[in-house]
Amino acid sequence: MSEQQIIAVVGATGAQGGGLVRAILDDRSGRFAARALTRDPASARATELAALGAEVVGADLDDADSLRKAFDGAHGAFVVTNFWEPRTPEEELVRPATAREREQAGNAARAGQEAGVRHFVWSTLPDTRGYFRPDDGTPTFGGSYKVPHADGKAEADRFFLESGVPTTFLQANVYYEAFLDMFAPRRDESGALVLPLGFGEARVAAHAAEDVGRTALGIFRHGLGLAGRRVSVAGSLLTGEQYAAALCLALGEPVTYQSVNPALIRAAGFPGAAEVGNMLQYLIAAAPDIAELIDYEQLRELNPSLQSFDTWLTTHLPTSANFSSSAPS
């Protein structure tokens, strides 16, 4: 057997990076070896990856030197930043999450270039700002952002382009897992299940979290032919009514889709409500462009195990008794 090519995986204990590490370890071809990068190699998740056969290495996206060392000898590197990492208000004031992500992406891109990485897969998101009108009354964050967790990543694309390292831009969409949490069905006053979502009539792309990592492995397998390309992950492209119908079949009881205006979500008052409302408004406005970017034939070639929403529900959905009876505010 030829020597394995090392894939350095940033965020290896998270959803996307962890999915890639496991996909590499499960790959029967043995072409790649997984180098799991984490700030805390002693954590329970890191220890679990080591037990499965991954090389676990300490590295921090805020520490360029640690990244260069972690990338040394790697053929490829998967890079993801975490906008949602818990932070204190003081930390956010000094260094907003968007600025932090840009700096971290820049550190990774430069470190990979200096270490001789031959292929980046950068987990990015689209710039949403072109889908909002200046006079539409939607809030703006940080001076220019409409959906900061997407717009900031889109700005960071340039660091990978400037690095000169061949880069594939991997875009996630809505996680199926959101239907167990933020987008979960709820019981109304009569006890019936409703699915209150700000999807309007749009078809919204979604996928299992682990399918991001599996698709990333497919990209590394494919090689540099996908350098400079964007790959949008989606296992299903459904309307709110169709997501409700799938939940109905899985749960064995009616689930009614209830369209919620994104403006109502922005006004709901929960932490991050304004950004979530903007995100949903973007998903509606950009639906045709999002759908056009999805290449199902390519996705199934990269990830033969790509899961539809129906398939995913057979193994991940709790019983209907687990859903909250409290309606969203």
Side-chain angles (χ1 to χ4, degrees), residues 18-315:
L20 174 55
V21 171
R22 286 177 170 79
I24 293 171
L25 296 175
D26 291 342
D27 183 14
R28 293 182 179 179
S29 76
R31 175 179 170 184
F32 299 110
R35 179 179 292 168
L37 276 57
T38 174
R39 284 179 301 181
D40 183 7
S43 71
R45 289 184 179 180
T47 302
E48 178 184 351
L49 293 177
L52 292 173
E55 175 192 6
V56 176
V57 174
D60 190 329
L61 281 168
D62 289 320
D63 182 346
D65 287 338
S66 74
L67 288 173
R68 276 191 294 271
K69 293 175 183 176
F71 287 158
D72 186 47
H75 166 80
F78 174 81
V79 180
V80 61
T81 54
N82 184 8
F83 177 91
W84 303 108
E85 184 174 358
R87 291 153 55 80
T88 66
E90 292 76 18
E91 288 173 328
E92 180 64 20
L93 182 63
V94 172
R95 190 186 183 204
T98 47
R100 181 172 180 266
E101 281 198 298
R102 288 197 309 273
E103 292 168 9
Q104 291 181 337
N107 287 341
R110 287 186 293 274
Q113 189 274 332
E114 292 169 4
V117 167
R118 297 181 60 190
H119 189 186
F120 274 127
V121 174
W122 158 235
S123 178
T124 187
L125 288 171
D127 194 321
T128 71
R129 289 170 285 191
Y131 294 91
F132 293 85
R133 300 191 316 273
D135 60 349
D136 65 4
T138 56
T140 298
F141 306 92
S144 65
Y145 302 113
K146 286 297 183 178
V147 184
H149 75 271
D151 301 337
K153 282 188 172 67
E155 285 186 340
D157 289 356
R158 70 180 180 88
F159 297 115
F160 295 91
L161 293 170
E162 291 169 356
S163 75
V165 178
T167 300
T168 304
F169 299 87
L170 182 61
Q171 292 186 185
N173 286 288
V174 173
Y175 286 177
Y176 292 154
E177 285 80 359
F179 288 90
L180 305 181
D181 185 14
M182 180 185 295
F183 296 158
R186 300 174 183 271
R187 295 199 177 276
D188 64 15
E189 296 81 357
S190 69
L193 282 175
V194 296
L195 186 66
L197 294 177
F199 287 2
E201 302 304 315
R203 292 192 302 160
V204 174
H207 53 79
E210 63 187 340
D211 278 327
V212 179
R214 290 174 176 174
T215 303
L217 174 58
I219 292 170
F220 284 120
R221 278 204 206 104
H222 191 86
L224 299 184
L226 289 175
R229 300 274 300 277
R230 292 186 178 271
V231 176
S232 180
V233 184
S236 293
L237 184 67
L238 305 175
T239 64
E241 288 188 351
Q242 290 171 324
Y243 282 114
L247 287 163
C248 171
L249 289 175
L251 291 168
E253 69 171 293
V255 180
T256 303
Y257 172 57
Q258 182 182 85
S259 180
V260 180
N261 191 310
L264 295 178
I265 295 172
R266 280 192 289 267
F270 60 84
E275 180 174 356
V276 171
N278 277 9
M279 177 190 71
L280 293 167
Q281 184 165 324
Y282 159 75
L283 291 178
I284 295 170
D289 293 336
I290 294 172
E292 186 176 357
L293 185 61
I294 299 166
D295 184 338
Y296 282 107
E297 182 176 351
Q298 179 188 73
L299 284 172
R300 293 189 181 98
E301 178 185 348
L302 296 173
N303 175 14
S305 300
L306 184 69
Q307 301 165 82
S308 69
F309 190 50
D310 290 336
T311 300
W312 182 85
L313 285 172
T314 62
T315 55

